Amino acid sequence: MPDTPSPSAPVILGDEPGSFPHGVLAERHPAIVRQVRDAFPLDPGRRRALDALLASCADGVVEPLPADADPTGRDRDLWAAWGLDGYAGRSWYDVPWLWAESHFYRRLLDAVGYFGPGPWQGVDPFRPAKLAELDAPETDEELAALDGLAELPADERTKALLHGSLWGNRADLGFRLSDRGADAADQVDALVADDSDTLWSLLPAPGPGTSPRGPVTLCLVADNAGRELVPDLLLVSHLLAEGRVDRAVLHVKPYPYYVSDATPTDVLDALRRLVAAGGAAAAYGDRLWAALTDGRVTVRAHPFSCAPLPYADMPDDLRGDFAAATVTVLKGDLNYRRLVGDRRWPATTSFADVTAYFPGPVAALRTLKSDVITGLDAGTEAALEASGERRWRTSGTHALIQVRC
């Protein structure tokens, strides 16, 4: 069932003009429709469908899935369970923001014919932008920098790769459509919460005299493709090489979502980019390629990964997957919203309390790009509010590492 309001922490809507959620619905979504419309030589029917979605973003309402949007009926059943029947006919601005965003992307895929039948079936409308990012000179520079990591002590190398994965979230293409972010300087100093020591206590490096342990499994729930997914893969490869994990499960989206979210195809594109890069990057890529081949790393694409609901509503099979992990690491802003609930929590609300439902140890690596936040101490919140940075919650200039054992 869809998330329902709580008196102490209401669900975030997009109905307040001037708010960040309202801006996403009113400005970012139309920009995405236009971007997709201009990126492909779509036929008149597809272009009319995109124009209709553009008009709906401006002053329309949530509509049921079109009759030809789901030939199998399975997706229609999922969206019925996810609350579509209850929200149909209501303004995009008057339903939970998390739900409205998710449904927008599902309707965008309908408009371009992703689910077919037809020539555009299965074509990712965001792939040109994803590939352009992978091929950018900045990616070459980042991969070349890996050659110097070997000179660092093991702990510093591990920390560098963790922070690469954390701050790689700035590569989010959807975020950059409406905000270029901030200067990259002093990124580590911008951490508003840092439980990395707790994370490493769950994934300790083996050494002389250490006690025998059972297999250590990392679940990494990815967020964006391109230049964010690359450092995620580097981190997994490194943890395997260091013996901190024995097995990793990489959760991605089953179909294109939120402009830049990673799919299985994006995993392959990023992996090929690593292998072809040469130097240390290729060594990381080769190690990961071998781990995928022998089963130490697996890729999962569960339908709930595209659900418009918090993880508190996850189905039993996904819950079992997370319960079996030594720790589940959720990347990015969207996964954070789904983890803690997309609500107007007081910033000092306990992260442990709001994630107590999660079926095992859980960590969040997140660059702040939406209003929701939990787990800050009172001093940190006061300093941020007094800093004069009005948009510290949404600008991508701050980040957090939070862990609940």
Side-chain angles (χ1 to χ4, degrees):
M1 294 295 294
D3 204 12
T4 54
S6 164
S8 61
V11 169
I12 295 175
L13 307 178
D15 59 346
E16 182 182 343
S19 69
F20 184 72
H22 189 280
V24 169
L25 295 174
E27 300 169 16
R28 186 184 299 180
H29 286 181
I32 291 168
V33 175
R34 295 186 187 100
Q35 179 196 48
V36 170
R37 195 179 190 277
D38 294 342
F40 292 90
L42 297 169
D43 59 77
R46 297 293 113 208
R47 298 176 76 82
R48 284 194 296 272
L50 285 170
D51 289 343
L53 180 58
L54 191 61
S56 177
C57 289
D59 55 12
V61 298
V62 174
E63 298 177 1
L65 294 177
D68 61 351
D70 177 26
T72 66
R74 290 191 295 269
D75 201 44
R76 188 182 300 277
D77 291 342
L78 281 174
W79 276 94
W82 294 342
L84 179 55
D85 293 344
Y87 291 144
R90 294 171 62 179
S91 167
W92 292 94
Y93 298 91
D94 294 335
V95 301
W97 180 43
L98 174 64
W99 198 97
E101 278 197 287
S102 298
H103 190 62
F104 164 79
Y105 285 101
R106 180 60 180 82
R107 292 301 305 273
L108 181 61
L109 292 182
D110 289 338
V112 298
Y114 180 85
F115 292 100
W120 301 106
Q121 186 177 29
V123 175
D124 183 347
F126 312 125
R127 194 156 187 250
K130 294 175 180 177
L131 292 178
E133 186 177 89
L134 274 180
D135 293 338
E138 292 85 355
T139 306
D140 291 323
E141 295 170 7
E142 291 165 0
L143 294 179
L146 291 170
D147 293 338
L149 277 185
E151 302 172 4
L152 298 177
D155 286 350
E156 290 186 28
R157 192 162 59 246
T158 299
K159 180 179 179 180
L161 289 168
L162 177 67
H163 282 283
S165 177
L166 170 66
W167 288 105
N169 185 242
R170 279 208 181 140
D172 179 343
L173 298 172
F175 184 65
R176 294 206 333 246
L177 281 172
S178 56
D179 193 324
R180 293 184 178 273
D183 188 88
D186 298 324
Q187 290 175 335
V188 175
D189 292 338
L191 283 176
V192 299
D194 184 4
D195 295 339
S196 52
D197 287 345
T198 304
L199 177 61
W200 298 134
S201 73
L202 294 169
L203 303 173
T210 56
S211 302
R213 64 179 188 182
V216 175
T217 299
L218 167 70
C219 266
L220 179 64
V221 183
D223 189 31
N224 297 312
R227 286 172 56 209
E228 180 185 349
L229 185 59
V230 166
D232 291 345
L233 297 181
L234 293 173
L235 179 62
V236 170
S237 181
H238 173 75
L239 294 177
L240 287 167
E242 293 291 307
R244 286 179 179 266
V245 303
D246 303 298
R247 181 172 177 266
V249 182
L250 181 64
H251 283 263
V252 295
K253 305 299 191 297
Y255 51 75
Y257 194 60
Y258 277 68
V259 181
S260 52
D261 282 28
T263 67
T265 298
D266 297 317
V267 174
L268 295 177
D269 287 338
L271 183 57
R272 291 191 184 104
R273 183 71 169 87
L274 282 174
V275 171
Y284 281 93
D286 289 340
R287 185 185 307 121
L288 200 57
W289 190 290
L292 282 159
T293 302
D294 64 28
R296 285 176 295 139
V297 175
T298 56
V299 177
R300 302 255 173 98
H302 196 284
F304 192 77
S305 295
C306 290
L309 303 176
Y311 281 108
D313 294 333
M314 75 180 88
D316 290 342
D317 60 332
L318 186 58
R319 182 177 295 274
D321 205 15
F322 293 149
T326 305
V327 61
T328 297
V329 175
L330 289 95
K331 279 293 310 293
D333 199 78
L334 173 61
N335 279 322
Y336 189 84
R337 292 163 59 193
R338 298 185 70 194
L339 175 65
V340 304
D342 201 33
R343 295 172 174 269
R344 297 193 181 278
W345 298 109
T348 55
T349 301
S350 167
F351 176 76
D353 287 349
V354 296
T355 60
Y357 72 89
F358 203 85
V362 62
L365 301 185
R366 178 226 183 177
T367 313
L368 275 60
K369 295 184 296 185
S370 67
D371 291 309
V372 64
I373 191 167
T374 66
L376 297 191
D377 63 57
T380 298
E381 182 190 18
L384 288 165
E385 293 292 347
S387 68
E389 186 182 354
R390 183 173 58 88
R391 298 173 59 248
W392 64 266
R393 290 174 180 257
T394 61
S395 64
T397 56
H398 297 277
L400 56 79
I401 302 170
Q402 292 177 323
V403 181
R404 193 227 74 209
C405 295

